[in-house]
Amino acid sequence: MRLFISWILISLSFIASAAEWNTYPAELPQFDYSGDKLKSHWDILTMGTRHEFPDEVFLQAMSETYPDLKAHMLSLAKKPDAHPGVKALLDHNYTPLAQALQKTWRYHYEGKYQQSYELGMQLGTAGMVPAIYSKLMYATFMVHSSAEKLAIFRDAAAESEPLLELTPGYDFGDFGLLYARVRILERLGTTAALATGYLGSTQKKLKQLSERHPTNSLYPTTFAAIQAGVVERVGSLIGRITYGATEGRTLAGFSEALELQSNLPVIYNEFIVALNRINPKKHKALIQDLSERCIALTPYSAEEALNQALCTSEYQQHELVEN
């Protein structure tokens, strides 16, 4: 019953998504991952997460690993309005679904977040990971209203839950929910944030992900970001006692992420945001250094370009103050 209700909520959410989304800025770098370009650039596009390329082999492996997912997708395939890629599963043909999934990721990396979300949701559970990930990045960078951001993050978190019921232990799927919860916590007052119950469980899960995937730089980055939020609210002393969060551990988390991957704008941007939350005056020189290093990078996706744009803004503000 819970899973059925969740799918109703997702359907309503998908209908609501028909409203026009903000578009990726024309003044930022533009990206083309048509044809074979997506696969040939996949490793560099997924530097932070290392998630698998969505080809037929990946889909078959997911099907074998998660029988509930397979049964659910076959049930969707029998519906009259099922996407052709989903319908093809009835013939044990994974190629059309793989091609549709690749198109969803192609949209994502090109900054076409609405198209990525809508196509992904048409693909059922198989397409929910790129769909929700696109929605999260859209809310993070393309939505300006704090209230609207919070609503979208909550919506994305709710959408993740039925996916995780069908794919227990799929770590990249788990990361979408954790990311949404971190963003939700950032936008709530201290009392409301503590009342969610997310803080301790989210930190624990992110540490587990880092231990299982020691080369994935986004896990320590997100963990350090949530630590910064705790320190900002209650300070290092109480933060250490209650949630093991300190300024030193925040800096160590970001340093670890940069050691793993030094050319991802998201790490620099998140580090800068964290330092501004903790003590911008104390870390003024480090913030400027991080900004300079960030804007010197070559972005390979819309997500990276949007992070880099925030680094550029931080750098320009610093220069304005200095002059």
Side-chain angles (χ1 to χ4, degrees):
M1 176 60 72
R2 180 179 158 197
L3 186 60
F4 176 70
I5 292 173
S6 296
W7 276 104
I8 291 176
L9 292 174
I10 287 174
S11 298
L12 292 174
S13 171
F14 178 65
I15 292 171
S17 76
E20 195 68 29
W21 295 22
N22 298 326
T23 57
Y24 176 75
E27 63 271 18
L28 293 183
Q30 303 297 302
F31 303 93
D32 173 20
Y33 288 110
S34 58
D36 294 335
K37 295 176 186 176
L38 181 69
K39 186 172 184 178
S40 64
H41 288 82
W42 189 255
D43 287 346
I44 200 167
L45 288 170
T46 59
M47 286 185 291
T49 58
R50 304 295 184 190
H51 59 280
E52 305 91 333
F53 184 72
D55 56 12
E56 295 89 340
V57 174
F58 167 74
L59 289 174
Q60 288 177 338
M62 289 290 285
S63 206
E64 293 169 4
T65 304
Y66 304 110
D68 288 344
L69 171 65
K70 180 179 180 179
H72 184 76
M73 289 300 298
L74 289 174
S75 176
L76 291 178
K78 295 175 183 178
K79 295 187 176 183
D81 59 346
H83 186 280
V86 178
K87 282 182 177 292
L89 295 177
L90 295 173
D91 298 322
H92 308 288
N93 183 2
Y94 289 91
T95 300
L97 181 57
Q99 292 173 342
L101 272 175
Q102 290 163 25
K103 188 174 184 180
T104 304
W105 279 113
R106 189 174 288 114
Y107 281 147
H108 171 79
Y109 289 119
E110 292 175 349
K112 300 170 183 175
Y113 295 120
Q114 181 175 8
Q115 294 97 315
S116 178
Y117 176 77
E118 292 180 351
L119 176 56
M121 295 304 281
Q122 289 175 36
L123 302 178
T125 314
M128 286 178 66
V129 168
I132 294 171
Y133 193 66
S134 283
K135 189 174 190 175
L136 290 169
M137 294 306 104
Y138 171 78
T140 299
F141 299 108
M142 305 290 292
V143 175
H144 304 296
S145 163
S146 182
E148 187 179 350
K149 281 178 181 285
L150 180 58
I152 296 174
F153 290 137
R154 281 176 164 160
D155 195 40
E159 288 173 333
S160 296
E161 292 177 2
L163 165 68
L164 301 183
E165 289 182 29
L166 295 172
T167 57
Y170 180 46
D171 289 340
F172 187 58
D174 285 342
F175 178 64
L177 176 59
L178 296 173
Y179 181 92
R181 287 182 171 177
V182 169
R183 295 309 186 201
I184 289 169
L185 289 170
E186 288 174 348
R187 281 159 182 81
L188 295 176
T190 301
T191 302
L194 293 175
T196 63
Y198 292 164
L199 193 51
S201 61
T202 301
Q203 285 197 106
K204 181 180 178 180
K205 185 64 177 179
L206 283 168
K207 287 182 72 174
Q208 291 173 346
L209 289 179
S210 290
E211 290 168 0
R212 285 203 294 269
H213 307 280
T215 63
N216 290 26
S217 58
L218 289 192
Y219 298 152
T221 297
T222 309
F223 179 81
I226 200 171
Q227 291 247 317
V230 174
V231 174
E232 178 192 30
R233 294 171 189 274
V234 300
S236 281
L237 177 60
I238 297 177
R240 178 179 59 79
I241 295 171
T242 55
Y243 292 103
T246 67
E247 181 176 336
R249 290 171 183 170
T250 299
L251 270 63
F254 282 114
S255 296
E256 176 190 348
L258 285 174
E259 288 177 6
L260 289 171
Q261 192 51 260
S262 62
N263 56 348
L264 266 180
V266 60
I267 302 175
Y268 293 92
N269 179 45
E270 292 288 350
F271 200 172
I272 291 166
V273 170
L275 293 174
N276 276 320
R277 298 182 74 182
I278 293 174
N279 193 329
K281 290 183 179 180
K282 176 182 176 181
H283 297 293
K284 180 180 176 181
L286 178 55
I287 290 172
Q288 185 64 359
D289 176 62
L290 291 168
S291 301
E292 291 176 355
R293 291 167 65 186
C294 178
I295 63 180
L297 300 174
T298 299
Y300 288 95
S301 70
E303 180 183 342
E304 292 180 20
L306 287 163
N307 273 284
Q308 192 176 56
L310 293 177
C311 292
T312 302
S313 176
E314 181 69 37
Y315 177 81
Q316 291 173 341
Q317 289 179 31
H318 175 86
E319 290 296 294
L320 184 62
V321 171
E322 288 297 303
N323 295 329

